[in-house]
Amino acid sequence: MERRFIIIDGSSLMYRAFFALPLLTSSEGIYTNAIMGFSNMLGKILTDYKPELIAVAFDKSRKTFRTDMYEAYKGQRAKTPDELKSQIPLLQEFLAALGIAFIEKDNYEADDIIGTLAKKSASEGYEVLIVTGDKDALQLIEPQVKVMLTRRGIMDMQIFDEEAFKEKYAGLEPKKLIDIKALMGDSSDNIPGVPGIGEKTALKLLTQLGDLENLLDNIDEVSGKKLKEKLEENKDLARLSYKLATIFCDVDVNFVPDEYKIAPDILKLQAFCDKYELKTVLNRMKKIFADEFKSDSEEELTLDFSANEMPQYQILNIDNIDEFKNDIKVQGKCSILMQTEGKVPDVNIKLMAICVSDKIGILKDDFALVNDILADENIIKNVYDVKSFYHAGLNLAGKINDVLLMAYLLEPAKRSYEMNVIRQIAEVEETTDYEQLKDEEKIAYDIQHLDEICKTLQEKLKDMQMDKLYQDIEFPLAKMLSDMEMVGIYINEAKLDEMNAQMNSELNLLEQDIYGLAGEMFNINSPKQLGEILFVKLGLPALKKTKTGYSTNAEVLENLIYAHPIISKILDYRLLNKLKTTYLDGLKALINPTTKRIHTTFNQTVTETGRLSSSEPNLQNIPVRTAEGKKIRSLFEPGEGYDQILSADYSQIELRIMAHMSEDKHFLEAFRNNQDIHQATAAQVFNVPIDEVTPQMRSRAKAVNFGIIYGISPFGLAKNLHISPKEAGEYIDNYLRECSGVKQFMEKIVQQAHEKGYVTTLFGRRRYLPAIKSRNFTQRSLAERMAMNTPIQGTAADIIKIAMNRASDAIKKAGLKSRILLQVHDELVLEVVDKEIEQVSEILREAMQNTAKLKVPLTIDINYGKNWAEAK
DNA sequence: TACGTCACG
DNA sequence: ACGTACGTGACGTAC
């Protein structure tokens, strides 16, 4: 057995747990959310790591509460320090019942105790895992000491060993965290650091000169005059910071293994949980310590499990699978769930559950046993997230009900569609404390009601007339998206590296120029520091404020461009820095080492309008508008065996949909005659012949057309055109008077939203807008603009989704090698071979232009070239 | 975690 | 008097 010692930072984890959960109270009014969160975390660690020894360290001073956090806390009444402190005795009581050592020492922080214990136990051969929410502890990492950090909330953990640390901190050793802190400081720990040095500079200096002492001895070697001065002036402060940042590993605590063995006392635990009404905590702990408790009190244990209605399941294998399959064939349907691991295109199945009638089976390794069931087109399958099945290489046939996609269509405004959310959408009650279950139990629990959930969701879809939307659009699209994701897109890494080096040197020059013009070093990336420099030190006029300070966005800066030479440098710096960090660094990190391609995720259940979104990386916002940006786009090239990147994009699809829906006669006519729509609009609203429309008139008309799509308002248009709201209002009035069809349509759609509470697309996709009844002007106005925009944006999304399905089928049917790689809302991007270009173009025209029979034609433009930038 | 900023349609 | 153009995702800073 492994000798594993887990040391928990009680202070920081209580604090995290306190914030992660809503404020809970027992009926006697005692706060219990921190203890609840803490016990969840403890339970998970005990189950996952089964440590031999465990200890919880605490700050004796208990000054573990930063006022800034709870003041900023939103969504409910702010939590107070007293509410946290009152839960500390509960934690002590809880740990005493579990027989877990609780250590605190006068004048020492939890970190110091942890450091000391880690050092001593490691030297006696223990594998140490420190669990904390405080990054400081990373300096304690050694070959035998790892640190587990909580990220968001408390249950999301990340383990750091030496390697992981180096990856995060520019290859530096964990011990160097102290040197980093000594330079950059830490406001939350009251470590001053050297003013003007942030993480970026600290890492650069330490990579160059090793450690703080060596750096302070060799300040000459540092580049940048200002930086040198700063270091020179603040030597003592840096040394003091170093001391403050160092965790003291020589506290007077002895490491006696026996003191840290876990010795739970069932009666005490029961009394504790009864007193504070922590039933789920008791159940969880009983399950974990089932063996210990069995000998003591058999009865308690049976009582315990009757509290939860857990499904019974069997582990399936070659010997018992046939009976299961027989049942499925007789029923003609089954439910299948799985858990996967790995990233596209290397996805493996971790766990699979299969359910027929009330029988639940779990497969742990030989997943191929059910391949014939999956491929049987006579068997209906209920699943969750069909795209992940395709990712795992499974061949699915027969009617597939994906509860994820169905739930999204029913309620597209949900932030997530975990199974518990879907149960709620299907109005199926949860009969257990779901979050407390282990993986295997969760999947068994999820699958037992899947058929019932599915039936409800299907009925709802049918009632709302969205069953076709599921069957004809969203479900087939999942396969298409999976194919695109797995194929990925090739990016020229050598060119990317070259561009990165080039941008780095340009950024360094700009940085120096900016520091020179400002007269000091500061963090250009910090809007706060930048605002201070521009509007206080340099005394430039502050034109706009944000809720936290001065606004420094591009619009503000452009207005100041003649006021000071620093402004244009900052704009250039921002542009280049954005391109480098988001695109060059961001894309490089996501190149798959095996395929050398980038595999984005197309999210099918994110937007409220029905659009797709793309993430990790987002390939729907690759630069195109500036010359510098186009260089990034030019990195995307056809992969091996392909000749060109081809782009097919809809021309003015949203305005065409608006024309169709509103039946405005001017728009219908302009599109039917294939006119330049903005020019035609200008002629109409400015009442001039079409060939007398000036470029300015056209660009104003264009802005108004955009405004119409977004849900027009004088303020928005005024801002966009840099005119007064009054003047903008006149434009709008004029426009709506001339285009009365548009006006009627917009009024009708807002009225419909009021009456029904939702708006729909041409294909029946629905978006609820409850705020439309709000008495708050801002919220109601926003809902009204959404009511106008969603049918247009959403219909465009429906149309391109259908087109993708059709195009993909046609390409497959024609047996072509060319393939679709990306969708960018109104554009499809393909890699093609030269000899197929004509045929592919023909297929795309047919698939995209004839998707929907609108009252105006839908047209596409096709372009191709040696890279994505040239396919324009 | 929240905010500001900026990339795209 | 109020105070916004619609829909996204990623990065960096500061809290």
Side-chain angles (χ1 to χ4, degrees):
Chain A
M1 173 169 141
E2 275 202 69
R3 302 169 73 203
R4 191 177 278 135
F5 184 19
I6 290 191
I7 316 176
I8 298 175
D9 181 342
S11 303
S12 89
L13 289 181
M14 277 288 275
Y15 178 74
R16 293 279 176 144
F18 178 62
F19 274 109
L21 268 66
L23 205 55
L24 306 169
T25 49
S26 73
S27 51
E28 307 223 329
I30 294 166
Y31 298 107
T32 55
N33 61 314
I35 185 80
M36 179 77 95
F38 187 92
S39 73
N40 282 352
M41 180 278 303
L42 183 67
K44 185 169 164 56
I45 288 169
L46 290 174
T47 334
D48 289 356
Y49 296 95
K50 305 197 171 41
E52 184 189 333
L53 308 179
I54 186 163
V56 177
F58 229 86
D59 287 339
K60 183 70 179 185
S61 57
R62 291 178 193 162
K63 55 172 173 51
T64 56
F65 206 96
R66 276 158 45 200
T67 45
D68 53 314
M69 291 286 282
Y70 73 83
E71 274 165 10
Y73 196 81
K74 273 187 180 169
Q76 58 178 299
R77 178 176 70 75
K79 298 175 189 177
T80 69
D82 286 344
E83 287 161 357
L84 173 60
K85 283 186 183 160
S86 71
Q87 297 182 57
I88 294 173
L90 268 65
L91 178 70
Q92 283 175 302
E93 213 178 322
F94 178 56
L95 293 175
L98 287 173
I100 290 177
F102 177 98
I103 319 169
E104 50 181 6
K105 271 271 187 227
D106 281 332
N107 304 324
Y108 290 108
E109 292 188 12
D111 268 348
D112 304 324
I113 300 169
I114 292 169
T116 308
L117 282 178
K119 213 167 150 190
K120 290 190 177 172
S121 55
S123 72
E124 290 190 22
Y126 280 86
E127 285 287 327
V128 180
L129 180 67
I130 296 167
V131 185
T132 177
D134 188 348
K135 282 202 195 105
D136 271 357
L138 295 177
Q139 63 181 270
L140 300 170
I141 293 172
E142 282 178 30
Q144 288 201 66
V145 181
K146 290 175 187 159
V147 173
M148 184 186 240
L149 269 187
T150 55
R151 297 186 294 189
R152 287 162 282 143
I154 187 160
M155 297 306 277
D156 187 5
M157 305 280 204
Q158 188 181 14
I159 295 192
F160 280 86
D161 55 11
E162 216 164 316
E163 201 181 328
F165 183 92
K166 283 183 178 169
E167 199 171 311
K168 192 173 154 84
Y169 291 98
L172 296 169
E173 310 272 320
K175 292 254 176 326
K176 297 284 169 61
L177 183 69
I178 309 172
D179 307 68
I180 297 172
K181 285 246 166 148
L183 287 168
M184 68 181 278
D186 182 344
S187 57
S188 69
D189 268 354
N190 284 322
I191 298 173
V194 177
I197 294 190
E199 180 168 331
K200 213 167 112 186
T201 320
L203 291 177
K204 204 160 71 183
L205 291 172
L206 291 171
T207 324
Q208 188 194 341
L209 287 160
D211 59 31
L212 183 71
E213 272 313 312
N214 192 45
L215 168 66
L216 295 180
D217 288 346
N218 296 286
I219 295 181
D220 302 347
E221 291 177 32
V222 172
S223 66
K225 200 174 139 217
K226 281 275 161 194
L227 187 53
K228 270 185 206 167
E229 281 172 19
K230 288 233 158 97
L231 287 166
E232 231 13 286
E233 280 166 25
N234 295 296
K235 271 188 170 182
D236 291 343
L237 203 54
R239 293 204 169 96
L240 170 69
S241 300
Y242 187 91
K243 275 187 198 153
L244 290 173
T246 307
I247 293 177
F248 182 70
C249 291
D250 213 4
V251 180
D252 177 27
V253 284
N254 290 325
F255 173 66
V256 185
D258 279 350
E259 286 178 15
Y260 304 116
K261 288 209 168 114
I262 313 167
D265 180 329
I266 176 83
L267 293 177
K268 269 195 197 168
L269 190 64
Q270 197 130 37
F272 172 81
C273 292
D274 285 350
K275 188 162 144 203
Y276 300 110
E277 295 158 26
L278 297 165
K279 200 172 160 192
T280 53
V281 173
L282 182 65
N283 283 335
R284 174 96 193 185
M285 292 300 151
K286 277 189 178 174
K287 217 170 287 174
I288 291 166
F289 296 113
D291 294 341
E292 278 89 338
F293 291 160
K294 218 172 236 164
S295 49
D296 293 359
S297 73
E298 200 98 20
E299 287 165 43
E300 297 294 344
L301 193 67
T302 40
L303 248 179
D304 163 28
F305 283 111
S306 66
N308 278 343
E309 284 178 31
M310 282 308 304
Q312 299 297 309
Y313 57 88
Q314 55 175 311
I315 307 295
L316 293 181
N317 54 44
I318 188 90
D319 301 321
N320 58 14
I321 191 91
D322 285 341
E323 193 192 326
F324 226 86
K325 285 184 180 174
N326 253 338
D327 284 6
I328 293 170
K329 280 175 193 150
V330 171
Q331 290 287 322
K333 67 173 179 184
C334 65
S335 296
I336 306 159
L337 288 177
M338 58 171 198
Q339 270 182 18
T340 57
E341 56 191 353
K343 289 195 167 161
V344 174
D346 299 302
V347 175
N348 292 306
I349 307 169
K350 217 166 104 187
L351 197 61
M352 187 187 272
I354 185 158
C355 174
V356 54
S357 306
D358 56 354
K359 275 192 185 164
I360 300 171
I362 290 192
L363 286 154
K364 287 188 167 177
D365 32 49
D366 197 0
F367 306 110
L369 283 177
V370 293
N371 278 352
D372 55 333
I373 296 288
L374 299 181
D376 188 336
E377 59 184 24
N378 294 316
I379 295 171
I380 301 170
K381 284 132 199 138
N382 305 321
V383 302
Y384 173 90
D385 191 7
V386 66
K387 196 171 77 175
S388 67
F389 284 70
Y390 300 133
H391 285 156
L394 295 176
N395 174 25
L396 292 185
K399 182 168 162 39
I400 314 280
N401 302 312
D402 182 346
V403 294
L404 171 61
L405 294 177
M406 297 199 286
Y408 167 65
L409 287 176
L410 291 170
E411 292 194 27
K414 288 275 185 252
R415 295 264 177 82
S416 89
Y417 295 89
E418 310 273 298
M419 273 307 297
N420 53 349
V421 177
I422 290 181
R423 272 192 286 274
Q424 179 233 316
I425 292 173
E427 296 166 67
V428 170
E429 208 180 323
E430 229 164 74
T431 54
T432 185
D433 189 346
Y434 183 71
E435 288 309 315
Q436 303 289 324
L437 304 181
K438 295 178 202 165
D439 276 9
E440 209 175 291
E441 295 167 338
K442 262 191 186 167
I443 205 169
Y445 185 79
D446 286 338
I447 208 164
Q448 73 172 341
H449 295 124
L450 201 63
D451 195 47
E452 184 191 346
I453 291 169
C454 227
K455 272 188 198 143
T456 318
L457 297 183
Q458 272 179 308
E459 275 167 29
K460 288 191 178 215
L461 280 176
K462 189 131 207 212
D463 289 347
M464 300 186 189
Q465 293 166 359
M466 286 195 284
D467 46 332
K468 276 204 155 48
L469 203 52
Y470 171 80
Q471 209 53 52
D472 301 344
I473 301 185
E474 299 297 350
F475 169 68
L477 187 70
K479 171 67 175 155
M480 160 83 211
L481 294 179
S482 158
D483 289 344
M484 285 162 58
E485 292 174 8
M486 291 202 285
V487 167
I489 185 166
Y490 175 75
I491 190 161
N492 187 329
E493 194 170 3
K495 258 173 82 184
L496 186 151
D497 290 339
E498 207 178 291
M499 210 177 281
N500 201 341
Q502 169 77 24
M503 272 194 198
N504 263 334
S505 62
E506 283 179 44
L507 277 168
N508 278 332
L509 290 179
L510 281 169
E511 201 178 314
Q512 292 312 315
D513 287 353
I514 290 168
Y515 294 156
L517 287 165
E520 66 178 285
M521 265 183 72
F522 65 101
N523 190 340
I524 308 168
N525 294 319
S526 160
K528 192 176 167 230
Q529 292 182 36
L530 180 62
E532 196 71 14
I533 295 281
L534 295 182
F535 304 119
V536 179
K537 182 162 184 193
L538 299 180
L540 298 174
L543 303 170
K544 214 175 109 190
K545 288 204 153 201
T546 65
K547 63 175 111 169
T548 51
Y550 304 110
S551 172
T552 65
N553 67 23
E555 196 195 335
V556 171
L557 296 187
E558 266 152 26
N559 283 318
L560 293 171
I561 202 149
Y562 298 111
H564 197 286
I566 199 173
I567 301 293
S568 68
K569 301 270 181 194
I570 291 169
L571 284 167
D572 290 350
Y573 177 91
R574 281 248 179 99
L575 176 76
L576 283 184
N577 196 48
K578 175 83 179 180
L579 294 180
K580 184 184 137 51
T581 55
T582 304
Y583 297 104
L584 295 185
D585 298 344
L587 289 174
K588 187 177 170 72
L590 290 165
I591 298 175
N592 182 297
T594 315
T595 66
K596 303 286 179 200
R597 295 168 73 104
I598 292 187
H599 304 265
T600 184
T601 302
F602 285 105
N603 310 297
Q604 205 178 348
T605 60
V606 166
T607 73
E608 293 192 45
T609 54
R611 273 190 176 181
L612 298 176
S613 86
S614 154
S615 57
E616 283 184 287
N618 181 353
L619 291 184
Q620 290 179 321
N621 73 346
I622 300 302
V624 69
R625 290 170 190 170
T626 64
E628 288 295 325
K630 283 208 182 75
K631 289 188 192 162
I632 306 250
R633 195 165 272 229
S634 74
L635 298 172
F636 291 85
E637 296 176 359
E640 194 153 347
Y642 292 84
D643 304 313
Q644 312 280 348
I645 294 289
L646 183 147
S647 154
D649 67 300
Y650 280 107
S651 152
Q652 304 293 356
I653 186 167
E654 295 192 338
L655 282 175
R656 285 171 198 265
I657 289 166
M658 198 271 287
H660 170 86
M661 289 179 149
S662 68
E663 298 184 294
D664 180 272
K665 66 174 193 223
H666 301 299
F667 273 92
L668 290 180
E669 190 192 325
F671 279 127
R672 283 172 181 165
N673 294 331
N674 201 21
Q675 286 175 316
D676 174 334
I677 192 63
H678 302 311
Q679 193 187 22
T681 308
Q684 192 61 42
V685 295
F686 294 111
N687 197 19
V688 294
I690 196 138
D691 48 7
E692 284 176 27
V693 171
T694 65
Q696 201 211 19
M697 286 156 83
R698 184 183 181 279
S699 102
R700 302 231 148 166
K702 183 176 172 182
V704 183
N705 277 336
F706 267 100
I708 291 291
I709 290 171
Y710 293 154
I712 197 84
S713 87
F715 281 86
L717 183 64
K719 202 172 144 218
N720 189 285
L721 283 180
H722 304 113
I723 57 177
S724 73
K726 185 164 171 285
E727 206 180 341
E730 284 162 14
Y731 277 7
I732 293 167
D733 289 345
N734 206 22
Y735 180 104
L736 292 178
R737 189 168 53 247
E738 294 296 332
C739 306
S740 56
V742 175
K743 182 168 193 254
Q744 282 167 25
F745 169 67
M746 292 299 169
E747 285 166 355
K748 196 183 80 190
I749 206 89
V750 170
Q751 190 196 345
Q752 188 213 314
H754 265 286
E755 284 166 6
K756 299 189 172 171
Y758 61 86
V759 291
T760 55
T761 67
L762 217 55
F763 296 87
R765 187 187 302 275
R766 204 177 268 209
R767 183 183 187 182
Y768 291 93
L769 297 167
I772 202 124
K773 294 200 189 302
S774 169
R775 270 87 62 211
N776 177 317
F777 173 85
T778 310
Q779 287 178 20
R780 187 177 64 249
S781 303
L782 178 61
E784 285 170 357
R785 292 196 296 275
M786 288 173 176
M788 296 186 258
N789 171 262
T790 299
I792 298 171
Q793 192 185 112
T795 301
D798 294 342
I799 287 175
I800 195 164
K801 281 176 170 178
I802 298 168
M804 289 165 78
N805 290 333
R806 286 161 48 106
S808 155
D809 285 350
I811 289 172
K812 208 173 284 173
K813 198 170 165 196
L816 300 184
K817 185 178 173 192
S818 302
R819 50 197 183 175
I820 303 177
L821 307 179
L822 303 175
Q823 185 251 46
V824 192
H825 309 307
D826 65 354
E827 173 190 15
L828 296 181
V829 179
L830 295 85
E831 60 185 354
V832 298
V833 289
D834 280 331
K835 62 173 193 217
E836 291 178 359
I837 288 179
E838 270 189 38
Q839 203 183 348
V840 166
S841 301
E842 204 36 59
I843 286 175
L844 289 171
R845 287 227 155 76
E846 151 62 23
M848 294 172 79
Q849 298 188 158
N850 303 332
T851 301
K853 290 195 177 29
L854 303 187
K855 297 186 177 82
V856 294
L858 277 179
T859 63
I860 62 166
D861 294 321
I862 293 180
N863 296 285
Y864 57 89
K866 285 294 169 195
N867 58 57
W868 194 5
E870 285 178 20
K872 60 164 174 40

